[in-house]
Amino acid sequence: MSVPDARLPRVSESQGSARPTTPPRERTTAIRQRLAELRGPTAVPRPLDARALAALAANPGCRRRALLDGAGVDKGALAEALGSPSAAFGQSQFAIARGNTFESRVKSDGGTELLRLLHEHTGGEAPKDAAVPDLAAAGPEGRAARTALALREATASGGWTLLDHPMLALEVAGSPAYLEPDAVVVAPDGRWTVVEIKSFPMIDAAADPSKVGAAARQAAVYVLALERVAGLLGGTPGTPGPADRVAHSVLLVCPKDFSNLPTASLVDVRKQLSVTRRQLARLTRIEEIADALAPGASFALDRPAPELTETVESVPATYAPECLAACELAFHCRDRARAVDAVTALGRGLRAELGGLTSVGAVLDAARGRAGDPSDPAVAALRRAAALRAEALEGAAAGGAVCR
């Protein structure tokens, strides 16, 4: 079921149209038809969620994932059809159950503890109680419309409001993505704050940086969707304007130390929001990636494996070790990266340091003086490192001879 344009905010609204001569509705219809052809006539599209969008933002250069996720292709099934194992990631059932229990505790008693934590970090009027509107409606489209209405009413009420699992809608690559944050709190001053509740602990007021980073990227997607809702609702007298209504700091709630007691920290997601906005804007031009494919190309799983492999390989990928924790095709892409000696298989940090040297062989040749421009900083650093290594080995060998 498609979402009416009046209700579904588009990422491209603030980015400008790349093809102004084509009416937006016709272009959207053409994109959807093209993506359906790529997916296969019988395949059900996999919906984009906040985790998938955050993973896209974490690897903005991967055109392969952008196209597959935009088309709603089941990447796990695709990996198996290619003869590669699907990368398993995500939480265990035990972790999910523990997280659900902790979230229920944080939101109990009308969200009293949650509001206390938010007030502790933001100040303002002390919360006494909060309205908790019913957001139930038929289907995700109905829930998204009900959430928008609840946000309008909460902003105008001048009190505290807790929206428990609201539904937000965002159009990505011509397809609707429905997003469900843990909670959104509307303060008396009309400010909207995203709340992320995680089960990993904060020990001495600090948590695992990698997990906090992942939570921040996910929360940035929710903030972006809320900004679109604020823009559609317009201004409310006596409250911040649509551009300032959504807080760019999200409340991250976690267990304190080794207990089940909640503690919280404000996390600034402006950097993650900027990256996410740029990447999703690129996805709105996903038809340009699809147009580069051969006529009749498809990711349908009933295609012969060689043909399917050729289609997948025709879309450039940007593999990095971090993909193993975020993409089902990671093992396939890793094998291909290793087969061509791509330095990306060694990590993004190293790849960034090597500049135009894209293969392990080119790096070794540059270090040994067989290739490369000596004026290139990367080449000069490699040769210096190689000289220091040779000097160290010679010193070690001389020292060993003296000892003998």
Side-chain angles (χ1 to χ4, degrees):
M1 180 169 56
S2 62
V3 179
D5 291 343
R7 293 182 182 177
L8 186 62
R10 294 178 178 172
V11 174
S12 57
E13 287 174 354
S14 63
Q15 303 293 331
S17 175
R19 299 183 177 181
T21 59
T22 305
R25 188 179 296 275
E26 293 182 14
R27 189 162 69 91
T28 297
T29 301
I31 295 172
R32 290 181 177 177
Q33 290 175 348
R34 179 61 172 136
L35 295 182
E37 294 170 359
L38 289 174
R39 195 169 50 243
T42 61
V44 177
R46 290 179 64 88
L48 281 168
D49 57 16
R51 288 182 182 273
L53 295 178
L56 276 174
N59 190 6
C62 188
R63 296 166 68 88
R64 182 178 298 170
R65 173 155 193 168
L67 181 60
L68 292 174
D69 279 352
V73 175
D74 184 341
K75 297 193 299 298
L78 179 61
E80 294 178 2
L82 294 172
S84 300
S86 174
F89 56 89
Q91 291 181 308
S92 66
Q93 291 300 316
F94 173 76
I96 292 174
R98 182 182 60 188
N100 291 339
T101 300
F102 178 69
E103 181 177 336
S104 298
R105 177 168 186 168
V106 172
K107 294 179 179 177
S108 62
D109 297 329
T112 301
E113 182 65 12
L114 177 56
L115 294 176
R116 183 192 69 78
L117 291 170
L118 180 60
H119 176 259
E120 180 181 293
H121 287 83
T122 60
E125 180 181 333
K128 297 179 181 178
D129 53 16
V132 184
D134 183 7
L135 302 179
E141 179 185 357
R143 288 186 59 199
R146 178 69 187 92
T147 295
L149 178 61
L151 285 167
R152 181 195 295 274
E153 295 172 344
T155 303
S157 71
W160 289 93
T161 302
L162 171 64
L163 276 64
D164 186 6
H165 284 288
M167 182 66 73
L168 307 173
L170 196 65
E171 185 171 305
V172 180
S175 300
Y178 293 100
L179 314 172
E180 189 176 2
D182 293 328
V184 172
V185 175
V186 181
D189 62 359
R191 185 63 60 88
W192 305 351
T193 302
V194 171
V195 178
E196 272 290 279
I197 302 174
K198 299 296 185 182
S199 59
F200 57 80
M202 283 190 187
I203 301 175
D204 293 333
D208 185 333
S210 63
K211 294 181 179 180
V212 173
R217 289 190 294 271
Q218 184 176 341
V221 177
Y222 300 137
V223 171
L224 180 61
L226 273 180
E227 286 183 344
R228 299 301 188 271
V229 176
L232 287 179
L233 294 182
T236 301
T239 65
D244 303 318
R245 184 169 298 161
V246 184
H248 288 168
S249 291
V250 304
L251 187 71
L252 177 62
V253 182
C254 299
K256 182 178 181 180
D257 297 328
F258 300 100
S259 69
N260 205 32
L261 298 175
T263 187
S265 175
L266 278 181
V267 179
D268 190 334
V269 297
R270 284 177 295 182
K271 179 179 178 181
Q272 291 84 356
L273 181 62
S274 177
V275 172
T276 301
R277 186 180 286 113
R278 289 197 305 271
Q279 174 63 356
L280 297 190
R282 290 177 60 184
L283 282 182
T284 61
R285 299 189 298 272
I286 200 169
E287 70 273 22
E288 297 175 7
I289 304 176
D291 288 345
L293 296 177
S298 172
F299 299 109
L301 301 180
D302 57 358
R303 294 287 183 100
E307 181 180 333
L308 193 58
T309 301
E310 182 180 355
T311 302
V312 170
E313 292 304 312
S314 67
V315 185
T318 304
Y319 172 76
E322 294 85 351
C323 294
L324 292 171
C327 183
E328 295 90 339
L329 273 177
F331 287 126
H332 174 83
C333 296
R334 185 182 66 176
D335 290 344
R336 293 300 186 269
R338 288 176 172 176
V340 296
D341 262 354
V343 296
T344 52
L346 304 178
R348 292 196 187 101
L350 182 59
R351 172 69 188 89
E353 293 288 339
L354 292 174
L357 303 173
T358 59
S359 70
V360 175
V363 170
L364 294 176
D365 286 342
R368 293 164 181 165
R370 293 199 294 257
D373 182 359
S375 63
D376 185 337
V379 173
L382 285 168
R383 292 182 180 176
R384 175 61 177 162
L388 291 174
R389 178 179 181 273
E391 182 180 334
L393 291 176
E394 289 176 2
V402 171
C403 291
R404 285 195 297 270

